[in-house]
Amino acid sequence: MTVCGLITKSQEPVPLQSISVDVAVQGFVADVVSELRYKNEEKATVEVTFVFPLDDEAAVYAFEGLIGGTRIEAQIREKKQAQQEYEDALSEGREAFLLERETNTSDIFTCSLGNLPPDGEATLKLRYVQALALEPDGAVRFVLPAVLNPRYTPQGSEGDTVTMGIPRVPREKLPYTLSLSATLESSHGINRVESKCTLVPLRFTAEDRTAAQISLDEGHQFDRDVELLIYYEEVHKPSAVLEAGKPGAAPGSLMGDPALLVTLYPNLQCASKPGLNATGEFIFLLDQSCSMHCSTDNNSSDAPPRIQSAKETLILLLKSLPLGCYFNIYRFGSTYDSFYPQSVEYTQQTMSECLQRVKDLQADLGGTEILRPLKAIYSQAGRKGHPRQLFVFTDGEVSNTDEVIAEVQRHSSSHRCFSFGIGEGASTALIKGIARAAGGSAEFITGKERMQAKALQSLKKALQPSATGISLHWDLPSSLKAILVGPSPKVIFEGQRSLIYAQIRGQHQFLRCLREGCCALQSSGASEGAVVLQYIFQDQTFTETMKFPLQAQESDGLPVHRLAARALLQELEGTGKKDEEKQRQALETSLSSRVVCSQTAYVGVNTALGQPVQGPLIHRDVPLAFLLFGQFQASVPELKKPSQEEQLPTPKKEEPPLLRLVSLQNADGSWVLDSSLADLLGLSEAEISSKTPDQVTPNVWATVLAILWLHSKAAEQSDEWQLLEAKALRWLQGNADQHLLVVPGPKDISVASTRAWWNMLPVETQALRDLLLQFYQVCKTEMFHQAYESD
């Protein structure tokens, strides 16, 4: 195996020695300081480059370096000016750094370290703020990415991506380690912190558990993403934070005025189950590029291939669709096609046809050309009365991200987009960008996470009513005024958090009072401000009021201001159109906030050295860990199609029992009493038929048994089959014999049904008791409430 990367003559990788990260998490916002230490162990001067990913919702605001005791603080410049200063410094033999964003995407940064002399050391310190995402269970998620997948360059694109030649090495040969510590603050109260990495025990620094500290255990090898899942006590409670402006910045500017962050995470409880009568057009866009052949977990041999996980998820989604809707499946790679010329009605026949085709799909379509299938989808006129819902599954390896997002944005009024990034290194800019552009939501699946639960969560959002008609009203002293920065949310789904930024404008003396918390405002009794949120949910209007003290918090990193600038930059640059006024405003915002955008970069030059560097420059890249088809290789812009040997049939693993049961369900929600279902239940078809209660049809009894199996055998995966169960219960309500559904009392139904169920199962007494309780839980759903209201 060839070792690639920054290497010595003895083939040992260099020069990254260590990474140290400090994180300050306040609510849904993280302020991160990352320090990278390098050493050139070669005898010649080298020019090195480090490429690293950042979340799409992160804002870089500071960059500095230390070389041989000389500190270099980088300055933000217009990109062309920064590049010229960097090149001039290199030609004169001076150390220089250049940090810029990769063209056409916002989540990849490349850091050119410039000239490092023999035995020379360089330490880089990067500062950024980041809005944190939420998991379906309400955990606030911070991730420090370790792996960056290569970005595929579509045919006809000009130039190479910055990641094209970045090498990957075996994790045991990574020459660097990571240390990470985090301070946590939340007015909600901190419950616990979880991680796949080994952590030092959580230590609370406040008696009311509103502050705590956590860190990675020593010696952590940075071979996988570092993930912290932070659980708050009252995470759904809205909050507002007022942050003081930057000292010395001009009043009236974004950085000079106080900035307000309003966090919304409403707990939208539907009064009924998801609307299975809901109409809609559901389009599934599945990535079949060769990179989907890779494992979902680069560090585990038993993790499923990305394509397999996506196929199983698509089967669950197909089975969960409501009757009466329309659907279609598009698959793409270097080429694309669709199962049907246009969306078709969801019936038993169309569902069965698609089910078999999905099972036969492979990761064999070359590169990742997502723009053309998107255009093909949008060229199809939508169906009246059937709002379009687009589900995109990809590992996110594209380089024309901005163009793709712009295409989705242009059609945002006609559909919603739910996106899924599969595997470590999926582009957060692409996955989050297309979801944000079309009012949907984004999910990421890494390691051994099951995609199914997250996908079904998104389908529930598509079927459920959402909060709309969102408006904010400000209650501030007459001397102050709140101006929204960036877009305000148009829709909020269950389980979705929204961050709203506002600039507080007013007369200079009143803004000074906000910083000092004194004089005119307090003497007038205006010690508090408030923001009133109003939204419509299920035809009802809801109002929530968030009060906050009129004393702005001081913060060195200005995280609220930086994220407000990031939100504004996304709005100004997200259309894909060359609007001169918006470009000018984006450039001004970037330069004043120090948040890098497509037009700016950081440059730092050491002017203290008088002697130019002697000898030729050698270009080296800092290695990253990467697993490809079971072995570490150098990255390439497009993964080749698997060879014939790789495609030889291999013994198929038996389908998981849950997937087998799901595959047997009909489009209307029922199951057929046949040998396949009997085999899954561990019985013979004759046994089941002989135990079926009198006057209950075979299909009704098969459906009851299938529901009971879900509750008894797959309870831990209930998030994946709740919609399937809802379809089954609805079918039972319309088709089951009255002798099963309406009885004089609960004792009769327990005799007629539960006894027949337990008599055919080889289980112990305790298990029978559990099944009986589960049966009652099933029966106490909406369709059985009349028969059990006296129980």
Side-chain angles (χ1 to χ4, degrees), residues 13 30-31 46-47 305 309 422 556 566 618 661 671 673:
D31 193 352
V46 298
E47 180 188 1
S309 183
I422 309 170
D556 293 338
R566 177 67 176 137
I618 304 172
L661 184 70
W671 274 267
L673 184 54

Side-chain angles (χ1 to χ4, degrees), residues 464-524:
Q464 290 175 353
S466 55
T468 58
I470 301 167
S471 62
L472 294 173
H473 304 281
W474 307 95
D475 184 6
L476 297 170
S478 58
S479 56
L480 300 175
K481 183 180 181 181
I483 306 297
L484 283 180
V485 179
S488 60
K490 299 178 181 179
V491 60
I492 299 179
F493 304 109
E494 171 70 17
Q496 180 185 28
R497 70 102 176 95
S498 294
L499 303 180
I500 301 173
Y501 305 96
Q503 178 181 348
I504 306 299
R505 293 182 178 176
Q507 298 178 11
H508 180 67
Q509 62 268 30
F510 290 106
L511 295 178
R512 188 175 67 250
C513 289
L514 287 181
R515 179 186 297 274
E516 300 172 357
C518 59
C519 66
L521 290 177
Q522 289 190 356
S523 62
S524 65

Side-chain angles (χ1 to χ4, degrees), residues 487-684:
S488 60
K490 299 178 181 179
V491 60
I492 299 179
F493 304 109
E494 171 70 17
Q496 180 185 28
R497 70 102 176 95
S498 294
L499 303 180
I500 301 173
Y501 305 96
Q503 178 181 348
I504 306 299
R505 293 182 178 176
Q507 298 178 11
H508 180 67
Q509 62 268 30
F510 290 106
L511 295 178
R512 188 175 67 250
C513 289
L514 287 181
R515 179 186 297 274
E516 300 172 357
C518 59
C519 66
L521 290 177
Q522 289 190 356
S523 62
S524 65
S527 60
E528 281 190 332
V531 55
V532 181
L533 165 69
Q534 192 173 75
Y535 59 90
I536 300 172
F537 181 69
Q538 291 188 318
D539 298 325
Q540 293 184 335
T541 300
F542 295 85
T543 301
E544 295 188 50
T545 301
M546 292 148 284
K547 294 183 178 181
F548 53 92
L550 286 175
Q551 182 172 359
Q553 300 178 8
E554 301 280 355
S555 175
D556 293 338
L558 297 168
V560 174
H561 284 77
R562 312 286 187 194
L563 288 175
R566 177 67 176 137
L568 180 58
L569 288 170
Q570 285 179 329
E571 183 181 36
L572 294 172
E573 296 188 324
T575 61
K577 298 179 181 179
K578 297 296 182 181
D579 186 307
E580 291 186 4
E581 175 57 28
K582 288 186 176 181
Q583 284 191 315
R584 181 194 64 78
Q585 189 178 353
L587 179 60
E588 290 181 356
T589 301
S590 179
L591 293 175
S592 63
S593 65
R594 295 177 60 88
V595 175
V596 176
C597 73
S598 62
Q599 302 179 67
T600 57
Y602 278 103
V603 63
V605 178
N606 182 3
T607 59
L609 296 179
Q611 297 295 324
V613 176
Q614 302 296 323
L617 293 181
I618 304 172
H619 185 85
R620 296 287 185 264
D621 293 309
V622 176
L624 298 173
F626 184 59
L627 184 63
L628 177 62
F629 296 139
Q631 56 184 322
F632 288 93
Q633 303 177 1
S635 66
V636 292
E638 177 178 358
L639 297 177
K640 295 181 180 180
K641 184 175 179 179
S643 65
Q644 290 184 352
E645 289 77 9
E646 291 173 315
Q647 296 187 64
L648 287 176
T650 56
K652 288 188 176 180
K653 293 183 179 179
E654 185 177 352
E655 282 186 329
L658 176 59
L659 191 62
R660 288 173 57 197
L661 184 70
V662 168
S663 298
L664 296 174
Q665 189 182 30
N666 293 323
D668 59 10
S670 66
W671 274 267
V672 174
L673 184 54
D674 59 13
S675 58
S676 297
L677 179 63
D679 181 63
L680 180 64
L681 297 176
L683 303 164
S684 69

Side-chain angles (χ1 to χ4, degrees), residues 23-31 130-134 138-142 183-190 193 209-212 228-235 237-241 261-265 497-499 501 553 559-560 563:
V23 185
V25 176
Q26 184 176 18
F28 293 83
V29 175
D31 193 352
Q130 176 182 345
L132 300 180
L134 278 161
V140 178
R141 182 174 183 255
F142 170 77
T183 59
L184 315 175
E185 292 184 13
S186 174
S187 58
H188 302 303
I190 301 165
V193 178
R209 300 169 70 98
T210 58
L228 299 179
L229 298 177
I230 308 165
Y231 292 84
Y232 295 141
E233 294 289 355
E234 297 181 284
V235 69
K237 186 177 180 181
S239 62
V241 177
L261 168 60
V262 179
T263 301
L264 306 177
Y265 183 35
R497 70 102 176 95
S498 294
L499 303 180
Y501 305 96
Q553 300 178 8
V560 174
L563 288 175

Side-chain angles (χ1 to χ4, degrees), residues 317-373:
L317 289 170
L318 282 173
K319 291 289 187 172
S320 301
L321 291 178
L323 287 173
C325 75
Y326 285 78
F327 78 105
N328 203 352
I329 297 174
Y330 283 73
R331 60 194 197 108
F332 72 96
S334 298
T335 60
Y336 76 91
D337 59 24
S338 59
F339 282 20
Y340 300 100
Q342 58 184 8
S343 296
V344 296
E345 186 176 357
Y346 181 73
T347 64
Q348 179 65 34
Q349 179 180 348
T350 57
M351 184 205 71
S352 298
E353 290 172 352
C354 288
L355 187 65
Q356 187 55 51
R357 292 188 65 179
V358 168
K359 290 182 177 181
D360 293 336
L361 297 179
Q362 299 297 327
D364 56 1
L365 293 185
T368 313
E369 302 255 6
I370 192 174
L371 187 59
R372 290 191 292 167

Side-chain angles (χ1 to χ4, degrees), residues 10 93 111 137 269 283 374 396 419 453 492 502 511 526 546 575-576 593 602 609 647 663 735 750 753 763 781 787:
S10 60
C111 174
D137 63 356
Q269 296 292 341
I283 297 179
L374 280 174
S419 55
I492 299 179
L511 295 178
M546 292 148 284
T575 61
S593 65
Y602 278 103
L609 296 179
Q647 296 187 64
S663 298
N735 294 273
S750 67
S753 303
V763 291
T781 57

